[in-house]
Amino acid sequence: MSTETKVQEFAQFINGEWKPGCGGATFDVLNPADGEVVAKASKATAEDVNMAVQSAKETFESGVWSKKSQKERTQIMLSFAGKIKEHAQELIYLEGISTGATVRKIGGADIMQLILCLQQTANMSLKYEMTEHLPVMETFGPNRTQLVREPLGVVAAITPFNFPLVLAMWKIAPAIAMGNSIIVKPASDTPLGTLKLAELAIEAGLPKGVFNVITGLGSEVGEALVKHPDIRKVAFTGSTEIGKKIMEQSASTVKKVTLELGGKAAAIVLPDADFELTIPGVLLGVFFHAGQVCEASTRVLVHESIYEPVIEQLAAMTEKIKLGHPLDPSTGMGPVISEKQMNKVLDYIESGKDEGARLVCGGKRAEGPGLDNGYYIEPTIFADVTNDMRIAQEEIFGPVLCVMKYKEIDEAINIANDTNYGLSAGIWSRDVTTANEIATKLEAGTVWVNEWHVFRNDAPFGGYKESGLGRELGMQVFNEYTELKSIITSLTTENKQRQALGLIF
Ligand code: NAP
């Protein structure tokens, strides 16, 4: 793919049409690989939010989507998946010029995930019980009771910069499968692919107004969505800091919220770990997408008997990761998302040095042909980290690995759990029985054994502790996008069978 770009303009996508923001203002979208402006997007205001919510609500109430049968909705979702496949190159390009993600990540992981998520969520929705019949019960009079699942109405999805398409789809797919309308607000650094996705949905036959995208500042547009009385649910993925704000803001309208937040995963390397699997696995776990992954294995706890050889091999293999332009297929690691993020990560690296961690490799902004104007950071490994250091406790969200030593497995489990986060964890060992026992003791929503970054659309994903609330993916996700109603119908015409009358007569 050519690395040359020309600045494109993107309006919002509301009610099936491209609509510039009411105030006419725009904001720049930059390419993290060189800091150049690649696009201008509409800077929406609260007025745009009101308009988008109104139109999504009208669409919902019209029944054009919410009253369709599950089978009809599934068919349109499958053709939406087909459209994504057809336009994969364009999506890869839009994401490649604006997110810093490599084409290997976008093509090899994101697009495949998007398509599978849509297809599998659509198919799983056919098996989801929208109506359940309870056995007849005599207490207080015989009755027949139905439990009915109904769509919520208009859902707001607020997404982060690191996996803009996939994390939007984790919300769009279950929301529309259940008949809701949705408004997605992507991160301001990375709105392009999500906007294109909305256009493809309409081409696939999704009625106008079911899937809308509004762009603008989180503190303005995001907040207006969260506080809007006609938004029935907020599905948020982002930092724990903003997640807490969203939970507070949702309280005034008692909104349903799901929160997918930060992480500080630990990978425990047991003495019998297979180095052939563990070394590349740990490095993929932490350096994939330049470390900007919520469930990344940022802390690695290594048994004292293999501590130095593991560090040596991690450092040697790190040298093989090629930094470069995201659109170059040979690139293994691209830049971080912004100058601000780069400086934040570099500050953490300095704090690691100040607190006495041993710098094994990396440790600074990357330099070299093609890298100098971008926000590239050398993949960095610190050894002799202790769990009280800032680099071990706070989410860095960059290519920084913290290696720690342990003696006893209980000590490793305590260190792994000694964090406010609880999104993911992992174990590397030849003994999968022991590893699975350890998995039960780790406070995390996902635990990998001899694996990392592997997702299934039928396996729920979410966090313990300050890593989140609720789950995405899996059959359970449909509970998060529906209301549950009990319809209790009397089976008698005889008052004498209605014991409840005796309570007052
Ligand atoms: P972020 O700063 O929290 O932003 C996430 C989204 O929230 C963006 O769309 C942002 O809009 C919006 N936002 C900001 N302030 C808001 C407010 N006051 N009200 C409503 N919305 C607001 O996160 P990020 O830097 O994009 O992403 C990195 C974080 O996401 C990391 O902490 C990572 O761990 C987490 N994450 C979690 C998961 C998971 O599944 N658990 C997955 C991926 C990422 P603007 O961009 O306009 O500010």
Side-chain angles (χ1 to χ4, degrees):
M1 258 179 206
S2 159
T3 53
E4 293 209 355
T5 50
K6 70 172 192 333
V7 180
Q8 302 180 58
E9 297 234 353
F10 286 81
Q12 312 168 85
F13 199 84
I14 296 172
N15 202 23
E17 283 163 27
W18 294 103
K19 285 209 175 86
C22 294
T26 61
F27 62 91
D28 292 342
V29 177
L30 308 184
N31 186 344
D34 53 20
E36 296 292 323
V37 177
V38 289
K40 289 187 176 293
S42 286
K43 192 172 179 192
T45 59
E47 204 184 334
D48 294 290
V49 169
N50 289 339
M51 190 181 69
V53 176
Q54 184 58 31
S55 107
K57 188 179 172 199
E58 281 165 16
T59 306
F60 178 77
E61 287 173 352
S62 75
V64 63
W65 182 251
S66 56
K67 300 279 185 226
K68 267 199 180 7
S69 72
Q70 205 59 44
K71 212 169 160 192
E72 286 172 302
R73 288 204 286 255
T74 296
Q75 267 155 6
I76 293 176
M77 287 175 71
L78 294 178
S79 82
F80 181 16
K83 278 279 164 202
I84 294 174
K85 212 168 176 182
E86 247 175 71
H87 291 263
Q89 283 304 319
E90 196 177 344
L91 286 168
I92 293 171
Y93 179 73
L94 287 174
E95 294 289 279
I97 58 168
S98 59
T99 69
T102 62
V103 285
R104 280 157 82 183
K105 173 210 176 239
I106 308 164
D110 297 359
I111 298 291
M112 196 178 71
Q113 242 297 315
L114 270 189
I115 294 170
L116 286 177
C117 178
L118 250 180
Q119 291 172 332
Q120 293 176 352
T121 307
N123 288 326
M124 283 191 311
S125 76
L126 293 172
K127 296 188 199 122
Y128 184 66
E129 301 267 4
M130 297 299 277
T131 309
E132 198 184 325
H133 297 276
L134 297 186
V136 171
M137 204 176 80
E138 295 295 333
T139 320
F140 292 114
N143 65 69
R144 163 185 179 271
T145 296
Q146 270 176 284
L147 307 184
V148 182
R149 290 273 171 192
E150 293 173 349
L152 301 169
V154 184
V155 170
I158 302 178
T159 54
F161 72 81
N162 62 337
F163 284 79
L165 295 175
V166 172
L167 295 171
M169 189 54 81
W170 284 11
K171 297 158 184 60
I172 297 160
I176 64 175
M178 292 295 102
N180 301 286
S181 295
I182 187 163
I183 301 171
V184 183
K185 196 225 81 73
S188 297
D189 286 324
T190 58
L192 309 186
T194 312
L195 286 160
K196 180 70 196 171
L197 214 53
E199 188 185 54
L200 295 178
I202 297 294
E203 284 177 24
L206 196 73
K208 292 179 175 185
V210 176
F211 168 18
N212 311 277
V213 181
I214 191 160
T215 50
L217 286 181
S219 51
E220 227 175 296
V221 178
E223 225 174 289
L225 278 168
V226 175
K227 290 183 175 162
H228 200 293
D230 287 331
I231 294 288
R232 296 283 180 243
K233 178 207 164 80
V234 178
F236 173 78
T237 301
S239 60
T240 295
E241 184 195 344
I242 303 293
K244 286 179 182 175
K245 267 193 197 166
I246 286 185
M247 204 167 167
E248 271 173 35
Q249 287 161 3
S250 303
S252 63
T253 46
V254 194
K255 262 190 192 73
K256 293 182 170 37
V257 274
T258 37
L259 303 173
E260 294 285 355
L261 310 176
K264 195 73 199 176
I268 303 177
V269 183
L270 298 191
D272 70 346
D274 179 346
F275 279 25
E276 291 276 312
L277 300 180
T278 307
I279 303 300
V282 164
L283 295 177
L284 173 75
V286 66
F287 293 140
F288 176 50
H289 196 22
Q292 302 167 110
V293 185
C294 51
E295 39 73 357
S297 58
T298 58
R299 295 179 296 154
V300 174
L301 317 184
V302 184
H303 190 262
E304 59 176 3
S305 61
I306 51 168
Y307 187 66
E308 289 302 336
V310 166
I311 292 169
E312 212 173 280
Q313 292 198 25
L314 286 170
M317 198 157 195
T318 297
E319 282 180 21
K320 296 187 182 160
I321 301 172
K322 182 178 173 246
L323 267 67
H325 197 284
L327 295 182
D328 176 350
S330 71
T331 297
M333 192 193 288
V336 296
I337 186 67
S338 61
E339 190 170 9
K340 188 172 156 214
Q341 184 65 17
M342 178 181 72
N343 290 333
K344 190 177 148 197
V345 176
L346 293 174
D347 277 352
Y348 272 115
I349 292 175
E350 288 312 306
S351 101
K353 291 179 194 166
D354 293 346
E355 286 189 282
R358 169 168 48 119
L359 184 67
V360 177
C361 63
K364 56 183 194 328
R365 185 174 182 173
E367 294 163 353
L371 304 181
D372 294 346
N373 296 328
Y375 313 128
Y376 293 91
I377 300 173
E378 292 178 347
T380 298
I381 300 180
F382 278 114
D384 305 345
V385 175
T386 55
N387 210 39
D388 55 349
M389 292 180 184
R390 274 184 69 211
I391 52 170
Q393 283 295 323
E394 296 176 21
E395 190 182 42
I396 300 173
F397 229 57
V400 181
L401 175 64
C402 299
V403 188
M404 298 184 222
K405 193 194 284 184
Y406 74 89
K407 270 188 187 162
E408 306 294 338
I409 188 61
D410 284 347
E411 180 196 355
I413 293 168
N414 286 339
I415 295 172
N417 289 338
D418 180 19
T419 160
N420 291 337
Y421 295 110
L423 193 59
S424 63
I427 304 125
W428 294 91
S429 168
R430 284 191 166 92
D431 178 355
V432 292
T433 309
T434 301
N436 272 270
E437 266 170 44
I438 296 170
T440 64
K441 296 177 186 162
L442 294 171
E443 297 168 350
T446 297
V447 181
W448 284 289
V449 174
N450 296 328
E451 196 52 279
W452 216 279
H453 297 313
V454 166
F455 288 90
R456 293 173 53 130
N457 292 304
D458 55 356
F461 180 76
Y464 282 31
K465 303 191 276 186
E466 293 190 16
S467 283
L469 190 68
R471 291 290 179 268
E472 296 195 303
L473 306 180
M475 281 300 252
Q476 293 83 340
V477 76
F478 299 126
N479 298 347
E480 311 272 10
Y481 287 88
T482 47
E483 281 287 7
L484 183 56
K485 183 181 278 173
S486 301
I487 304 179
I488 304 171
T489 309
S490 171
L491 291 177
T492 180
T493 53
E494 300 286 326
N495 274 348
K496 65 175 187 277
Q497 283 192 289
R498 300 173 203 264
Q499 290 102 328
L501 290 176
L503 295 175
I504 62 161
F505 296 112

